[in-house]
Amino acid sequence: MRRISLGTALIFAGLLAFIVAAIGADVFASNDPLRQSLLLRLRPPGTATATAYFPLGTDDLGRDLLARILYGARASLMVAALSVSVSLLVGVTLGLMAGWFGGWVSIVAMRAVDTMLSIPAILLAVLTVAVLGPGFFNLVLVLGLTRWPRYTRVAYAQTLQVAALPYVRAAEMAGCGPGRILLRHVLPNIAGPLMVVATSEFGLMILFEASLSFLGLGIQPPYPSWGSIMSAGRQYVVRAWWLTAFPGACLFGVVLCVNLFGDWLRDRVDPRSQGR
Amino acid sequence: MPELKSRLLQALIAIFGVLTIVFFIMRLSGDPTLLLVPDGATAEQIAALRHVLGFDRPLLVQYGAYLLDLARLDLGQSLVQHAPVAGIVAERIPYTMALAGGALLVALGVGLPAGLAMAVWRGTWLERALAGFVLAGQSLPTFWSGLLMILFFGVYLGWLPTSGSDDLASLVMPSVALGAITMSSFARMTRIAVLDELSRDYVAAGRARGLSYGAVILRHVLRNAAIPVVTIAALEVGNLLAGAVIVETVFAWPGIGQLAIQSIASRDFLVVQTIVLFVSMVYISMNLLADLAYGVIDPRIRRDR
Amino acid sequence: MRALAFSFPAMLLAAGVAFAQPKDTLIVDLPGDVATMDPHLQWDTESYTVYRNIFDNLVTRDVSGKIVPQVATGWRYTDNTTIVFDLRSDILFQDGSKLTAEDVAFSVRRIINPALKSPQLSQFDQIISADVTGPAQVTLRTKTPYPALMAQLVKLSIVPKAYVEKIGDQKFNQEPIGSGPYKLRTWQRGVQSVLDSNDSYWRVKPPFAHVTFRAVPDIPTRIADLRTGRADITRGLTPDDAEALKGDKSLQVMPVATERVAYMFINALAGPTKDKRVRQAIAMGVDRDTIITALQQGYAKPVNVVLTPANFGYIADIPGWKFDPVAARALVKQAGAEGATVELLTSPAYDRRLNEAIQQMLGEIGLKVTITMTDQPSFLRRRQGSPEEAGALSQGRWSCACQDADGVIFPLFRSGSIWSKFNNPAFDAEVDAARTILDATQRLVHYRRAFEILREEVPGVGLFQDNAIYLARKELKWIPTANEAFFVTEMTWQK
């Protein structure tokens, strides 16, 4: 095992901090993220009243920005994590089956992949939200179901390689069923590259939710996500910079950390990029 | 080439799949009749208009009619603009191409040198800094970073136009905003490709012949590493075409992405379907070309994707 | 090199001349592109803003909102359903042909012909015939006496019969010709429309040689355009934008109280709001003063009913519901609706902050409001669907561009209308009567009774009279109007 560098440690620490903040939102937020005070709109960071303190200021309905960012972290990270899980489940299942069975299974699966990839993801998402209606679970479903083909491609290519390995052949000879072989022998071997895809997708999903919020189809009001806080706050980018700067910095931090983590993971998984 | 024939057939199937999926999702999302009548219309007036527009027919009948029109190369009329869809979409394509081209230029212009430097100075602080820089470009929501660019370069410095599409200067900011999203994948691909090449024997041989490290890289490594990078670029074009929805909205750039979103919002079915048809055809043919090119350039590579 | 030396002073000279001359091109940033140039095919705000500068109307409104002649010089009722219009005979279309009574009759018949599928059909379908009855005279007949007719005719563009028939509807939409102060030069779809002044215009000299309407969807981008002088005027600012831009010395914020009423729809036919007490509690639970001062920043005026003072039929002395959360809470409890879930339907087209503010206010009187935001077509499908689907609440900003109660409370609350989730025969009788009587005093009597019923039954509650907020360069002189018309001839440029 190589030792983990300082930079990598920082990335891990950063990610961990955001996850802790999201989980512990109830503990860290001193104010209710939904509580409005219309007479305290757009107050700058550090505003204090007789009854409350707003370390990061208030939004355009007089709600505590810190509390909203903390609860927003929860929504943004949950949406990303769950939608990545949905895509992984669908994409990997199809990819494993296509790679193992080949023939018409692979033809159908890979044509479906082509089809899905050639529809611009954002348009597909907007259309599907129009049909299903918005809301947390629909959002997860829509994001998950538009992004699975990337996993299928990787899982398929990897399964083809792994399936040819002697010990997999041996397991097949020994009479193991395809389900068992795929789960016990193939999946663990291809998990690395899949994780690499999943990490970069995780960052993309956070941004994707933000885009949908910008188009008015993200997390339902009044609940916050980073994307919805920012798209509501961009109107005030000059007058109340804190409304976009703080959630923007958080979003930037998380996506950057996730991407750097993805790069790190890729270097460990993909021997080509390690140099020889 | 039976290989090519089967690939073409598969491409056609994929495009047909795209059309079908988009057709049914669009129809399930409701028809545009309510958006076309004035606020005070009665239920009878609405039903009458719906009938005239043909949205009261069974879905499969509408689907059949659409396919028939398509087979006759008739893309239909826009319900909102009362004009042929083909023209409406075609007018936007040059703008989309210009933006995609500009973004590709930015992504390659930054991504290639960055990737090269990351490979050559592997393991140094420079690599980490560059990695952070190219990733930063894709870690911000465009609706915010684009606006900040407008305010800084357009309003504060006054260097670039704040919106519009009338000259080359107005293409700069949208291209940077869109290109920033893809430059990290170029940098990454370049880095891997160059590292791959650097490990080959000819590099050591070149050095042994007395060529400088820089000369080896410029003369040989870059040329060989370009192949996989160009392939990625070809694939990215598809994504750049309609993935620019938000960039186009923020910078008032009249590409097909903006048109698509507006047409979804007004349920102008045929416009949306035509845009998706166009994008998927470009994407699939780029895919096909990249695959073929890959096979031609490097016969060792098996097409198994 | 010599060529450069020669051309440089010439350029300076040209620039100097341009500076001394009055402004040549007015640049308008609109949120979107024109949908159709044919004035009978679309009336979305963008299309309307542009094509009304290309066409003349039979009648128009002056700055004070009074209906005054334009193509018509005068009109008289020969009986309750027959109106005779005398027309000017000195108006030329932009192709040089004369505007005649035939063109006026044709324009009316064209828009009421169902085959044209005009979205404005329901505004004009009270008209049953339009006939040329003299060399410069047209006679319209209506189904019943129809008091809102003149208000609707303000929106009827006159198109050239011979030209439309010659080139067909499709081509006319691309290359429209009107008799208005501006003519279309180019229309780059999705980008901009450029108009040139019609120098032989009969009414006034158009103030700018050219007008460019650009499509810029994002508000912050439009504001940036104004700040850098890339555009001269835009619309659609929020009160918060307006406040932030007040200090900008090169710009001016131009708010105007419009005929647009912000209201909250309350479903009287389904769900917890079926109980009248719950609806009344909602009316008492919404703190409209705070909404006006805090959210609207004063860019709004209070109203007591679902109508604005800019409309005919506004009854000023009907008491509105006073904000009284204690009484509201008690009423909710009395109705057994405490903790009931009330769905607020909305779309991105409506003010997000207002929805959330109302959600909290109603939360305080014991109702649990859930906000369902879908895109506009999905919202309309539910809002205009059956009462069970329509949600309990939704906000709206209603304008009929006719400044008459008939265009507001009739479609909103008359049973049978797709917007109405209210069924009250007494109310129906009053609004039916008010739309078929010509006498203004009698109409007001009916509207008073209608508003009294609305006050008691609360199928909706008026929130405020909305402001349209324009942002313009300091040099532009213009007085925006209550009907949100955008006539370039009303503007001037002063250095």
Side-chain angles (χ1 to χ4, degrees):
Chain A
M1 276 301 260
R2 269 196 303 177
R3 280 187 46 212
I4 290 176
S5 71
L6 179 67
T8 318
L10 276 175
I11 296 170
F12 279 121
L15 280 178
L16 198 68
F18 280 111
I19 294 170
V20 169
I23 294 172
D26 315 70
V27 181
F28 299 119
S30 51
N31 294 314
D32 179 348
L34 303 183
R35 182 77 217 167
Q36 309 165 6
S37 0
L38 293 184
L39 300 175
L40 290 172
R41 302 175 67 231
L42 304 172
R43 293 301 159 94
T47 296
T49 66
T51 50
Y53 177 63
F54 305 107
L56 297 185
T58 64
D59 75 354
D60 57 351
L61 284 164
R63 296 176 291 210
D64 180 27
L65 185 59
L66 175 64
R68 288 186 72 75
I69 290 178
L70 287 167
Y71 281 86
R74 196 179 273 184
S76 290
L77 298 181
M78 283 278 275
V79 166
L82 290 178
S83 57
V84 164
S85 313
V86 171
S87 317
L88 261 175
L89 191 72
V90 176
V92 173
T93 309
L94 273 175
L96 282 174
M97 284 169 55
W100 184 256
F101 294 109
W104 65 268
V105 180
S106 80
I107 291 178
V108 170
M110 296 329 280
R111 273 341 99 209
V113 165
D114 277 358
T115 305
M116 291 297 287
L117 281 180
S118 61
I119 306 175
I122 183 100
L123 297 188
L124 193 58
V126 171
L127 272 174
T128 331
V129 171
V131 175
L132 294 178
F136 182 83
F137 286 102
N138 285 350
L139 198 61
V140 165
L141 217 59
V142 166
L143 295 181
L145 292 182
T146 45
R147 303 295 293 197
W148 57 264
R150 277 146 232 275
Y151 303 92
T152 309
R153 273 199 161 174
V154 173
Y156 174 67
Q158 296 286 324
T159 306
L160 280 183
Q161 284 179 13
V162 173
L165 294 177
Y167 78 93
V168 178
R169 290 281 148 233
E172 196 182 8
M173 246 51 125
C176 290
R180 191 179 158 82
I181 293 175
L182 286 175
L183 285 179
R184 291 287 291 274
H185 302 292
V186 178
L187 192 57
N189 272 293
I190 68 170
L194 285 173
M195 281 311 294
V196 171
V197 180
T199 356
S200 83
E201 284 285 307
F202 186 87
L204 273 177
M205 286 304 100
I206 294 180
L207 287 166
F208 219 97
E209 189 277 329
S211 299
L212 284 176
S213 287
F214 173 68
L215 298 170
L217 301 169
I219 293 283
Q220 289 286 283
Y223 301 101
S225 73
W226 288 342
S228 72
I229 301 173
M230 289 183 74
S231 56
R234 69 194 287 281
Q235 187 198 338
Y236 307 99
V237 84
V238 181
R239 190 181 168 204
W241 53 269
W242 54 94
L243 285 184
T244 39
F246 292 125
C250 290
L251 196 149
F252 179 78
V254 165
V255 178
L256 190 64
C257 282
V258 166
N259 278 331
L260 288 170
F261 174 70
D263 268 8
W264 176 80
L265 204 61
R266 181 174 291 112
D267 274 3
R268 321 212 87 196
V269 168
D270 181 0
R272 280 202 307 161
S273 67
Q274 272 176 30
R276 272 155 258 175
Chain B
M1 263 173 116
E3 167 94 338
L4 179 66
K5 214 184 237 169
S6 92
R7 285 291 288 162
L8 277 176
L9 186 70
Q10 290 175 355
L12 276 179
I13 293 172
I15 288 173
F16 180 74
V18 169
L19 281 177
T20 309
I21 291 176
V22 174
F23 180 91
F24 283 101
I25 299 184
M26 271 305 308
R27 301 299 153 131
L28 285 176
S29 70
D31 72 49
T33 317
L34 292 176
L35 295 164
L36 296 173
V37 293
D39 279 343
T42 63
E44 294 77 46
Q45 289 167 331
I46 291 169
L49 182 60
R50 181 168 284 136
H51 181 71
V52 171
L53 297 174
F55 291 125
D56 55 350
R57 295 174 296 169
L59 215 52
L60 278 175
V61 174
Q62 294 183 42
Y63 180 59
Y66 174 65
L67 288 184
L68 265 177
D69 282 346
L70 209 59
R72 292 196 304 255
L73 295 180
D74 178 6
L75 294 169
Q77 286 267 323
S78 156
L79 295 172
V80 179
Q81 303 193 21
H82 296 264
V85 166
I88 291 174
V89 176
E91 280 170 15
R92 303 295 190 96
I93 287 176
Y95 293 101
T96 288
M97 292 293 190
L99 180 56
L104 206 57
L105 214 63
V106 170
L108 282 172
V110 178
L112 278 184
L116 180 64
M118 281 158 71
V120 172
W121 286 283
R122 182 150 196 284
T124 64
W125 62 268
L126 183 71
E127 188 199 6
R128 289 198 203 99
L130 281 173
F133 174 73
V134 292
L135 282 173
Q138 65 168 35
S139 306
L140 277 175
T142 336
F143 63 79
W144 185 47
S145 55
L147 180 58
L148 292 180
M149 278 166 71
I150 291 177
L151 290 174
F152 187 70
F153 295 106
V155 178
Y156 182 71
L157 294 176
W159 289 354
L160 292 166
T162 42
S163 74
S165 50
D166 13 73
D167 49 18
L168 225 54
S170 41
L171 182 58
V172 175
M173 283 201 281
S175 300
V176 171
L178 188 59
I181 302 172
T182 39
M183 69 189 178
S184 76
S185 53
F186 285 118
R188 182 181 300 140
M189 268 318 288
T190 310
R191 174 176 171 272
I192 293 173
V194 170
L195 281 177
D196 243 14
E197 292 299 317
L198 284 178
S199 66
R200 289 184 203 272
D201 296 337
Y202 72 84
V203 177
R207 294 295 309 269
R209 283 211 319 270
L211 285 174
S212 73
Y213 194 49
V216 173
I217 286 179
L218 284 179
R219 279 197 211 155
H220 305 287
V221 172
L222 264 187
R223 192 191 301 162
N224 291 331
I227 300 166
V229 176
V230 168
T231 319
I232 292 286
L235 291 181
E236 282 295 329
V237 169
N239 291 334
L240 290 174
L241 286 182
V245 171
I246 292 185
V247 172
E248 287 177 8
T249 305
V250 171
F251 292 97
W253 188 264
I256 52 174
Q258 212 199 114
L259 179 66
I261 285 291
Q262 286 160 355
S263 305
I264 290 175
S266 57
R267 298 291 188 268
D268 205 345
F269 292 156
L270 294 175
V271 176
V272 179
Q273 273 154 225
T274 304
I275 290 173
V276 173
L277 180 66
F278 168 75
V279 174
S280 64
M281 276 166 70
V282 172
Y283 181 84
I284 286 171
S285 37
M286 282 292 185
N287 233 319
L288 203 59
L289 279 177
D291 272 13
L292 292 175
Y294 227 78
V296 170
I297 295 164
D298 186 351
R300 286 170 307 167
I301 293 165
R302 277 283 163 82
R303 189 195 51 74
D304 56 8
R305 280 197 276 180
Chain C
M1 206 55 220
R2 208 169 46 187
L4 188 71
F6 174 76
S7 66
F8 191 58
M11 266 162 59
L12 275 182
L13 196 68
V17 170
F19 192 75
Q21 271 177 356
K23 190 170 170 69
D24 185 59
T25 306
L26 179 77
I27 300 172
V28 186
D29 265 13
L30 295 178
D33 181 28
V34 176
T36 68
M37 284 287 175
D38 184 330
H40 296 165
L41 285 186
Q42 278 294 346
W43 79 308
D44 63 281
T45 323
E46 272 69 65
S47 309
Y48 201 58
T49 302
V50 176
Y51 67 59
R52 293 198 81 194
N53 287 292
I54 301 177
F55 296 91
D56 278 326
N57 304 288
L58 199 53
V59 291
T60 191
R61 281 185 197 269
D62 64 12
V63 179
S64 69
K66 200 170 145 254
I67 295 176
V68 294
Q70 194 167 41
V71 169
T73 55
W75 51 91
R76 61 188 179 278
Y77 279 85
T78 53
D79 64 55
N80 272 345
T81 56
T82 313
I83 314 107
V84 179
F85 290 87
D86 293 317
L87 309 174
R88 298 187 73 94
S89 46
D90 59 347
I91 302 178
L92 295 181
F93 282 111
Q94 289 149 6
D95 62 354
S97 64
K98 221 176 129 184
L99 188 156
T100 65
E102 285 293 343
D103 297 309
V104 174
F106 172 74
S107 299
V108 177
R109 284 188 221 127
R110 183 167 186 256
I111 206 163
I112 62 174
N113 180 0
L116 186 74
K117 295 182 259 178
S118 171
Q120 277 175 281
L121 180 60
S122 67
Q123 295 172 345
F124 293 102
D125 64 357
Q126 291 295 315
I127 304 173
I128 46 175
S129 71
D131 300 296
V132 177
T133 45
Q137 194 185 71
V138 165
T139 302
L140 301 188
R141 262 174 245 283
T142 55
K143 273 183 206 159
T144 58
Y146 183 47
L149 178 70
M150 295 311 296
Q152 300 290 13
L153 287 176
V154 167
K155 296 175 285 182
L156 181 75
S157 301
I158 307 300
V159 300
K161 178 180 188 219
Y163 181 73
V164 175
E165 284 180 340
K166 190 179 87 194
I167 66 167
D169 289 345
Q170 177 119 24
K171 196 99 184 289
F172 180 65
N173 181 23
Q174 308 300 316
E175 296 159 21
I177 280 180
S179 61
Y182 284 92
K183 53 193 175 196
L184 182 67
R185 181 170 71 199
T186 50
W187 176 22
Q188 287 171 271
R189 263 189 300 227
V191 185
Q192 60 184 18
S193 334
V194 183
L195 311 189
D196 288 340
S197 65
N198 170 11
D199 293 320
S200 55
Y201 186 54
W202 60 279
R203 205 156 49 85
V204 290
K205 182 181 179 320
F208 304 97
H210 316 282
V211 184
T212 302
F213 293 93
R214 306 169 72 231
V216 183
D218 201 22
I219 296 188
T221 312
R222 296 206 294 278
I223 294 174
D225 283 347
L226 261 291
R227 290 175 65 191
T228 54
R230 198 165 172 78
D232 299 312
I233 182 167
T234 188
R235 63 173 170 75
L237 261 67
T238 66
D240 283 324
D241 293 331
E243 282 302 290
L245 289 162
K246 258 186 168 170
D248 197 315
K249 285 188 182 58
S250 57
L251 301 176
Q252 54 178 328
V253 173
M254 304 168 125
V256 62
T258 64
E259 62 171 298
R260 196 173 288 279
V261 62
Y263 68 97
M264 176 68 50
F265 148 77
I266 308 173
N267 192 335
L269 296 182
T273 50
K274 199 173 173 184
D275 188 320
K276 185 164 88 179
R277 291 168 296 184
V278 177
R279 301 200 298 275
Q280 290 176 341
I282 290 172
M284 281 192 283
V286 175
D287 182 358
R288 282 169 288 176
D289 289 340
T290 304
I291 288 174
I292 290 173
T293 51
L295 281 189
Q296 290 298 117
Q297 306 268 324
Y299 290 94
K301 282 185 190 149
V303 291
N304 51 356
V305 293
V306 186
L307 197 69
T308 78
N311 296 61
F312 176 83
Y314 182 77
I315 314 286
D317 56 10
I318 291 196
W321 288 92
K322 288 269 168 304
F323 174 54
D324 188 347
V326 178
R329 206 183 173 96
L331 208 52
V332 167
K333 201 174 270 177
Q334 197 192 341
E338 214 169 3
T341 302
V342 175
E343 188 185 23
L344 191 159
L345 278 191
T346 192
S347 86
Y350 301 100
D351 186 354
R352 170 190 58 82
R353 302 163 316 144
L354 187 54
N355 285 331
E356 294 180 35
I358 283 173
Q359 181 180 42
Q360 168 155 314
M361 288 169 186
L362 297 187
E364 262 149 40
I365 64 165
L367 295 172
K368 188 176 176 306
V369 178
T370 57
I371 297 177
T372 304
M373 182 154 87
T374 60
D375 72 346
Q376 185 72 3
S378 311
F379 164 75
L380 287 180
R381 194 156 47 138
R382 285 194 58 192
R383 174 67 181 84
Q384 303 182 339
S386 73
E388 287 70 29
E389 290 177 282
L393 302 170
S394 65
Q395 65 156 304
R397 304 259 166 134
W398 190 279
S399 165
C400 61
C402 65
Q403 295 181 234
D404 194 292
D406 180 60
V408 181
I409 58 172
F410 189 92
L412 277 180
F413 303 120
R414 168 72 165 85
S415 65
S417 149
I418 47 171
W419 292 94
S420 167
K421 305 292 172 266
F422 178 52
N423 196 343
N424 185 305
F427 172 82
D428 291 355
E430 298 299 342
V431 288
D432 286 351
R435 73 164 8 194
T436 48
I437 302 173
L438 296 179
D439 183 76
T441 335
Q442 270 184 297
R443 290 187 73 207
L444 285 177
V445 172
H446 289 295
Y447 281 132
R448 172 177 294 279
R449 277 191 232 128
F451 279 118
E452 274 161 1
I453 296 168
L454 290 184
R455 200 255 174 202
E456 170 67 19
E457 296 290 330
V458 215
V461 51
L463 297 175
F464 53 84
Q465 177 182 18
D466 200 10
N467 269 343
I469 308 178
Y470 301 85
L471 180 69
R473 298 293 294 179
K474 206 85 189 175
E475 297 87 351
L476 188 81
K477 296 285 171 279
W478 178 49
I479 302 167
T481 56
N483 60 356
E484 298 173 62
F486 195 92
F487 292 118
V488 175
T489 47
E490 304 294 321
M491 302 175 187
T492 54
W493 193 264
Q494 283 169 12
K495 278 274 181 225

